[in-house]
Amino acid sequence: MKRLIKRGLMFGNLIRVDSPALIARYNRALEKLSGRTTTLTEFHIDISGFSPEVGEEFGDDAYLNPGGCNRQFIILTVDQKKAPLLNASFSTSRGILKQFMAQHEAKLFALTAHDAVAGELENSVYAVGEMRDVLAIRKISVVADTTQSHVANARKLAEKIDHFQTAEGAWYDDQLIDEMIDLARETGDVTRVPVDLGTPTYEQGNFWTSHFGGVYVFRDAETPALITAGDRTQLKGAPFDRFYDLDDVNGIASFLKKNDLVEPVIKARGVDGARILRQKMQFMLVDAATNAGMDLGDMSHRTLRRIANRLAQSRGLPEAFRGLAAMVRWAEAGGKWPRIDSRHPSYFYTLRARPDHPDRDLINQLLSELAPMDVRQLFICHKQAFYGAYATWPDEKREFVAEFLHRDYMANKAGARERLFGGEKTALAESPSARNPWNSVKQDQEALREKLIDVVGPWGAIGRRR
């Protein structure tokens, strides 16, 4: 994994914690949540405050995620909103944390100037024993406060201020006034700088969970279904009519089509579909070559093309490669549309999630597991699966993939995502199934209105004099 870490492909964008003040705040929050503290003088944290170094010290990578169903978090800085979420149990968790931090950025900035904010993504389930427990998680509430209870004290002060202003005779209550002064010393002026984070609640509709070997839950689809990468018998008792294994390609293809969740890459608007498919073919070629023990040489386009010719002569090219090649020929030279159905190994490589679908990222994650030789999509959409696959590859393939991702993806991540999956503005960021009133139709309309104002002014278009 060293070449991934060196190129920023693993543990990238983590926040470094190395000052005694921040470490002391982290330890206060950690002790409050788990009863433990770290002796490390330097470590890195993700968006939830989880540190792989602290996890290694404790021998427990779930020290902030006990039971895998109520994620705890520690916020030392609002910069954590840009960090990834490691060891995620639910695909919605990072999106919820990111939305929470964006909503309350000013308050969190003020609070973390003096203390750490500790909290939990709470739901009604305390342990996951069977799939019914996972499906019982419908709503997730974010509960947070500093280690010195600034938020709770601010609520108390706000209540006392309201009582002071409305209750008869409160102006003469010396005890009430003294209590308000004492609380104000801790919280500051809550009438001018509110620090109440509230308890926002988010709905978890369609999502992926790492429990039971990895399960995709599409319960808000027109025809609900569970798709599992693990043992299907573990889903017994779940209130669903449709269950699919990842090997049930016909069933999954029918599900995706029936619910209008995907589109062919080659026909997608605004993208060079043929180029994308050619890159997928390159990944397949590298996989076939390294499995056959062939030397990739300088890994240049010319060398890979020579390897493709050798594999073609020995009938060593994967059938999926041939299917994508036929589709590229159709796109670039015309002719008959190649009939590639779900029984063909290249089928899922030809698809992407509809860019305007609210669960776009979840669908692309599923497709990355169905088309695992597309290492770029696997890395972008499902890093846990990518790291697991990477550990099994020949060393030469690891070098090729690490260098390709470093050169092609890391140089322009936003551009690569838009080119492959569609513009970010067409889908909710990170985890669209984690919805709350903040992501409402009214807000979308307001955003459109502001955009129009930027273009034509607040009074509408003004015609030019002729």
Side-chain angles (χ1 to χ4, degrees):
M1 299 292 182
K2 290 182 180 179
R3 54 169 61 93
L4 295 180
I5 297 172
K6 182 179 178 181
R7 290 175 169 90
L9 298 168
M10 190 174 189
F11 302 140
N13 292 333
L14 295 182
I15 304 299
R16 183 175 178 174
V17 180
D18 56 4
S19 78
L22 288 180
I23 293 172
R25 293 175 192 173
Y26 186 85
N27 269 331
R28 287 200 302 270
L30 188 56
E31 187 171 22
K32 184 176 181 179
L33 292 174
S34 67
R36 293 187 280 189
T37 58
T38 177
T39 59
L40 299 178
T41 57
E42 180 184 321
F43 50 89
H44 299 77
I45 59 175
D46 68 3
I47 188 173
S48 73
F50 166 77
S51 167
E53 296 99 328
V54 175
E56 184 176 357
E57 179 192 18
F58 291 165
D60 179 13
D61 283 339
Y63 72 92
L64 283 182
N65 193 25
C69 61
N70 286 273
R71 186 91 189 200
Q72 297 173 326
F73 60 88
I74 299 172
I75 301 175
L76 295 179
T77 168
V78 292
D79 288 340
Q80 286 173 232
K81 69 180 181 180
K82 301 174 185 176
L85 177 63
L86 305 179
N87 303 328
S89 296
F90 292 91
S91 60
T92 51
S93 297
R94 184 175 187 266
I96 291 173
L97 283 170
K98 191 172 182 180
Q99 289 185 36
F100 171 75
M101 294 175 74
Q103 279 181 275
H104 301 287
E105 185 166 358
K107 297 174 184 178
L108 290 170
F109 183 83
L111 290 169
T112 54
H114 305 286
D115 197 4
V117 173
E120 186 174 328
L121 303 184
E122 289 187 355
N123 60 71
S124 57
V125 174
Y126 296 95
V128 174
E130 56 183 10
M131 194 61 200
R132 283 182 178 274
D133 297 326
V134 172
L135 297 175
I137 303 173
R138 271 284 184 179
K139 294 186 177 181
I140 298 172
S141 299
V142 182
V143 180
D145 200 348
T146 65
T147 61
Q148 300 176 45
S149 303
H150 286 90
V151 174
N153 289 334
R155 285 187 195 141
K156 290 179 184 177
L157 179 56
E159 291 171 1
K160 289 181 183 299
I161 290 173
D162 183 62
H163 179 72
F164 179 77
Q165 293 176 332
T166 58
E168 186 177 349
W171 285 78
Y172 306 103
D173 189 338
D174 292 337
Q175 183 179 350
L176 175 62
I177 295 171
D178 289 341
E179 290 173 355
M180 290 167 57
I181 292 171
D182 289 339
L183 287 171
R185 288 194 183 103
E186 297 178 16
T187 65
D189 186 352
V190 295
T191 61
R192 295 192 179 205
V193 187
V195 293
D196 192 345
L197 300 172
T199 309
T201 298
Y202 303 82
E203 291 185 9
Q204 182 163 275
N206 301 330
F207 62 93
W208 169 87
T209 177
S210 64
H211 293 286
F212 309 109
V215 182
Y216 293 85
V217 179
F218 289 94
R219 57 184 171 194
D220 290 346
E222 186 175 339
T223 55
L226 293 180
I227 301 174
T228 178
D231 183 0
R232 184 169 167 177
T233 60
Q234 293 182 302
L235 308 184
K236 187 178 180 181
F240 274 74
D241 293 330
R242 295 174 180 82
F243 298 85
Y244 304 108
D245 301 311
L246 285 184
D247 294 335
D248 187 0
V249 292
N250 292 333
I252 295 174
S254 176
F255 166 78
L256 293 173
K257 185 176 181 180
K258 188 176 295 184
N259 289 278
D260 194 22
L261 301 179
V262 294
E263 66 179 14
V265 172
I266 204 73
K267 293 183 177 180
R269 296 176 59 183
V271 299
D272 186 348
R275 181 186 176 191
I276 292 174
L277 294 187
R278 280 191 179 278
Q279 288 175 325
K280 293 174 186 272
M281 290 168 61
Q282 188 180 68
F283 303 145
M284 295 175 183
L285 179 61
V286 169
D287 182 73
T290 54
N291 286 338
M294 299 176 69
D295 183 8
L296 296 181
D298 60 0
M299 302 184 187
S300 65
H301 174 73
R302 180 174 295 181
T303 301
L304 292 176
R305 187 168 179 81
R306 188 162 56 245
I307 289 173
N309 290 331
R310 288 174 57 190
L311 286 172
Q313 292 171 11
S314 63
R315 298 185 180 275
L317 284 175
E319 190 62 28
F321 182 97
R322 298 177 185 277
L324 293 190
M327 192 157 285
V328 169
R329 284 195 299 272
W330 171 85
E332 295 181 343
K336 190 176 181 181
W337 170 257
R339 291 198 171 190
I340 296 177
D341 59 24
S342 58
R343 292 168 293 183
H344 198 283
S346 67
Y347 178 73
F348 291 108
Y349 290 92
T350 69
L351 302 176
R352 74 173 190 178
R354 275 183 32 223
D356 59 345
H357 196 280
D359 291 306
R360 179 192 67 179
D361 293 345
L362 179 67
I363 299 162
N364 280 327
Q365 179 179 332
L366 170 62
L367 290 174
S368 73
E369 290 207 70
L370 294 165
M373 282 189 288
D374 185 353
V375 292
R376 177 176 51 187
Q377 179 160 329
L378 190 64
F379 175 78
I380 295 173
C381 300
H382 199 347
K383 285 187 174 55
Q384 288 179 227
F386 173 85
Y387 295 137
Y390 179 92
T392 67
W393 294 337
D395 194 65
E396 202 164 13
K397 180 177 178 179
R398 293 181 190 175
E399 178 61 28
F400 173 86
V401 171
E403 182 57 28
F404 177 89
L405 292 174
H406 174 68
R407 184 184 67 251
D408 180 84
Y409 175 65
M410 297 299 288
N412 182 11
K413 292 191 282 188
R417 285 176 177 270
E418 182 169 356
R419 186 171 69 251
L420 294 170
F421 311 123
E424 290 292 340
K425 294 180 181 179
T426 61
L428 297 177
E430 297 305 325
S431 186
S433 293
R435 304 182 182 96
N436 73 347
W438 188 53
N439 288 318
S440 62
V441 174
K442 182 178 179 181
Q443 188 179 37
D444 293 340
Q445 293 173 338
E446 186 64 27
L448 178 60
R449 179 176 172 274
E450 291 178 5
K451 187 174 180 180
L452 289 172
I453 289 173
D454 288 340
V455 175
V456 303
W459 298 281
I462 300 175
R464 294 181 179 177
R465 291 184 180 180
R466 297 183 180 274

